[in-house]
Amino acid sequence: MSEAAVQSAASFDVAALRAQFPALQQEVNGQPLVYLDNAATTHKPQRVIDAISDFYRLDNSNVHRGAHTLSDRATLAFEAARQKVAALLNAAETAEIIWTRGTTEAINLVASSYGRRVLRAGDRVLVSAMEHHSNIVPWQLVAQECGAEVVAIPVSAEGELDMAAFRSLLDERVKIVAVGHVSNALGSVNPIQEIIDLGHQAGAKVLIDGAQGVPHFSVDVQALGCDFYAFSGHKMYGPTGMGALYGRRELLEQMPPYHGGGEMIKTVSFAGTTFNDLPFKFEAGTPNIAGAIGLGAAVDFLQSLDRKAAAVHEAALLAYTHEKAANFSGLTRVGRAKQIAGAFSFLLEGSHPADLGMLLDQQGIAVRTGDHCAQPIMKQFGIPGTARASFALYNTFDDVDRLFAGLEKAKTFLM
Ligand code: C6P
C-alpha cells in the first residue's frame, strides 16, 4: 500500500460505519454475525430504513398524479432520488436515469427495446463467458426472435477477459457488447474503458452490467462513454426491488417503450397512443416510490463517505483474505484476475460448497455457495459452484479472521 493509501485507510472509521447498520449488530446461531454475502445483497444503514419508513408514515401518496400536498411531497422526493442517482453516475441529465426493479430488469429493458429494434439475422451480441445469467438470457431471448447470435468473449483460467479474443470477435456483425463491470462469481474487474472504446470503434453499442461495480467504485458514465449502465440498489446499501438504468438520451429517444400502461403515455385513443417524454416513457404504472426514495438515501450514504478510503479498505480486506487463503491447506481460489473487487470465490478440498456454507452458518458466518447465477463460467472451470465470501465497506479484518477460523473448524467436521 502506498503511504497515501495507508493514511486514507487509517482515516476510514469502520466501527462508526458499522454502528449505522442495525442488522450487523445481531448474533446468529449464538455468534456475532459475520456477514460476507454482500454481492448477493448488502445490509441497509439506518438512514435508508428511516427514509423508507418516513415515506410510508408521512408522505405516502402516488407520484405525478395527485393534486394534493402528500402527492406533491412524494413526487418531489421521488424525483430528487432520481437526481441523486444521476449525480452518482455523473449522467449528463436526470432524464437519462430510468427506474427499474434492478439490474435484471434494466438489461431486459435494453434487450427488449433497443435489441429488438436493431438486431437482424446474422447480427451478434457479445457478452463475456463469466456473465451473470441476467446479462446472458435477456440477449438470448431477443436474439432467438431476431435470428441474431449471442457469442461469449472467452475468459482465461485466471478469470480474466481475453482481450485479444475480444478484439478479433469485433466485426461488422457485432451490434451490442454487454459485459459486467465486476464478475459476481470471481470478483474479476473488467477493463471496461477499453471494452467501451473498442466496442465503439467497431460500431457497436456498449452496455455495462454495474451490479457489482457501483458498490465498489465511483462510476462516471460520461467519462466512460458507455451507452447503457445498469445497477441494483440493494447491492449498494439500498432497498431490494429497486435499481436503475442509465442510457444515453440519443438512444433512449430512439427506443420504443418497454411496458405499456399509465405514466408512459402523453395521449391515448383507439386511433393511437403517443408516448411520454424521458424518462417516463419507460416507467409504466405506479413505481416503487418508497424504493426510489430509499435508493436516494443509499446514494446519500455513499456520497457522505470518503469513497477512495472505502475502496482502499475493501482492497486491503481482499488482500488480507488472499494472504490467509494462500496459507490455508486444501483451499483453492477460483478466479485469480489481477484486478479483483468484492468477491473471494473458493473451494475446500473434500467438501461440497453447500456443506461448507452450512457449517459456516452454524458459526454465524454468512457466505454464498453455488453457481452464483454464472453457470457458463462454472462449466468452463469444470466445477458445479464455489463458496464465495463477498465484502462491503463495513467488513473488518476480524471478519476475515472469523471466516478462516470457521473454515478450520468446518474442516474437522468434513474429515
Ligand atoms: N448477483 C449474487 O449473489 P438483480 O437480481 O437484478 O438485483 O441483479 C442481478 C445481477 C446482475 N449482474 C450481476 C453481475 C450480479 O451480480 C447480479 C446479482 C447476486 O451474485 C444474486 S445472483
Side-chain angles (χ1 to χ4, degrees):
M1 252 197 264
S2 70
E3 204 174 307
V6 170
Q7 271 176 9
S8 201
S11 71
F12 192 68
D13 187 347
V14 186
L17 254 179
R18 288 179 70 82
Q20 299 179 43
F21 287 80
L24 295 178
Q25 315 306 324
Q26 65 187 302
E27 290 197 347
V28 169
N29 294 324
Q31 300 284 341
L33 170 66
V34 172
Y35 187 78
L36 293 171
D37 195 17
N38 296 287
T41 199
T42 59
H43 284 297
K44 322 302 171 201
Q46 190 62 50
R47 66 196 291 172
V48 168
I49 298 166
D50 287 346
I52 295 167
S53 89
D54 285 352
F55 168 73
Y56 283 123
R57 278 191 317 111
L58 300 168
D59 298 336
N60 177 49
S61 209
N62 213 327
V63 287
H64 306 134
R65 286 165 169 79
H68 57 82
T69 304
L70 293 197
S71 175
D72 285 347
R73 290 209 303 245
T75 305
L76 278 176
F78 181 73
E79 291 303 329
R82 197 192 305 269
Q83 277 166 15
K84 290 173 189 180
V85 169
L88 181 78
L89 300 183
N90 193 32
E93 35 172 333
T94 306
E96 293 180 320
I97 302 299
I98 316 292
W99 293 130
T100 65
R101 283 188 287 136
T103 308
T104 304
E105 190 182 34
I107 298 173
N108 274 280
L109 191 165
V110 178
S112 296
S113 175
Y114 183 76
R116 196 173 275 131
R117 191 169 168 278
V118 301
L119 292 173
R120 301 279 175 273
D123 284 344
R124 287 181 151 189
V125 178
L126 298 188
V127 302
S128 90
M130 61 182 145
E131 289 312 305
H132 186 281
H133 300 160
S134 293
N135 201 22
I136 300 174
V137 183
W139 302 112
Q140 287 177 330
L141 292 173
V142 173
Q144 268 161 23
E145 252 179 60
C146 305
E149 208 186 347
V150 178
V151 177
I153 309 162
V155 167
S156 71
E158 283 72 39
E160 289 181 336
L161 208 63
D162 182 338
M163 291 302 284
F166 176 51
R167 276 195 192 83
S168 66
L169 281 168
L170 282 170
D171 59 26
E172 69 293 341
R173 289 173 295 178
V174 179
K175 298 295 183 290
I176 298 165
V177 175
V179 293
H181 193 159
V182 178
S183 155
N184 67 314
L186 309 177
S188 319
V189 181
N190 285 320
I192 56 169
Q193 186 68 73
E194 203 183 341
I195 291 166
I196 293 163
D197 293 344
L198 288 169
H200 284 167
Q201 278 162 31
K205 299 291 182 260
V206 183
L207 175 141
I208 303 297
D209 170 350
Q212 305 292 346
V214 173
H216 303 294
F217 302 113
S218 293
V219 172
D220 182 336
V221 290
Q222 289 188 77
L224 284 169
C226 56
D227 299 292
F228 303 102
Y229 193 99
F231 76 95
S232 300
H234 70 100
K235 296 181 195 292
M236 49 153 283
Y237 314 102
T240 53
M242 195 64 211
L245 170 72
Y246 157 79
R248 280 202 298 116
R249 176 183 274 278
E250 186 198 337
L251 295 173
L252 293 174
E253 292 282 12
Q254 295 163 19
M255 288 159 54
Y258 168 52
H259 288 146
E263 269 300 279
M264 50 74 72
I265 52 88
K266 262 199 179 127
T267 61
V268 178
S269 79
F270 288 105
T273 290
T274 58
F275 303 124
N276 208 340
D277 297 328
L278 292 176
F280 312 112
K281 181 172 86 172
F282 294 106
E283 295 178 358
T286 298
N288 181 355
I289 306 164
I293 292 167
L295 178 50
V299 173
D300 287 340
F301 166 73
L302 274 180
Q303 304 280 47
S304 74
L305 303 169
D306 177 346
R307 292 210 67 189
K308 273 203 186 116
V312 169
H313 171 68
E314 286 187 14
L317 285 176
L318 261 183
Y320 183 56
T321 305
H322 293 157
E323 199 182 296
K324 293 206 85 148
N327 298 312
F328 196 93
S329 89
L331 188 148
T332 309
R333 265 177 71 186
V334 179
R336 291 174 162 272
K338 281 185 229 50
Q339 300 290 328
I340 287 207
F344 163 63
S345 246
F346 62 97
L347 294 168
L348 194 61
E349 202 176 14
S351 74
H352 190 282
D355 296 332
L356 204 52
M358 203 185 61
L359 289 166
L360 289 172
D361 180 53
Q362 282 169 5
Q363 302 172 68
I365 303 160
V367 298
R368 185 175 169 188
T369 62
D371 61 28
H372 314 298
C373 301
Q375 287 180 11
I377 196 67
M378 296 296 147
K379 191 164 178 214
Q380 176 182 325
F381 288 169
I383 52 179
T386 71
R388 181 191 70 183
S390 56
F391 296 92
L393 39 76
Y394 46 60
N395 285 119
T396 63
F397 292 89
D398 187 50
D399 288 341
V400 180
D401 289 338
R402 286 269 315 274
L403 170 67
F404 283 93
L407 288 172
E408 202 65 72
K409 192 161 177 197
K411 262 184 173 178
T412 59
F413 288 98
L414 293 162
M415 298 272 176

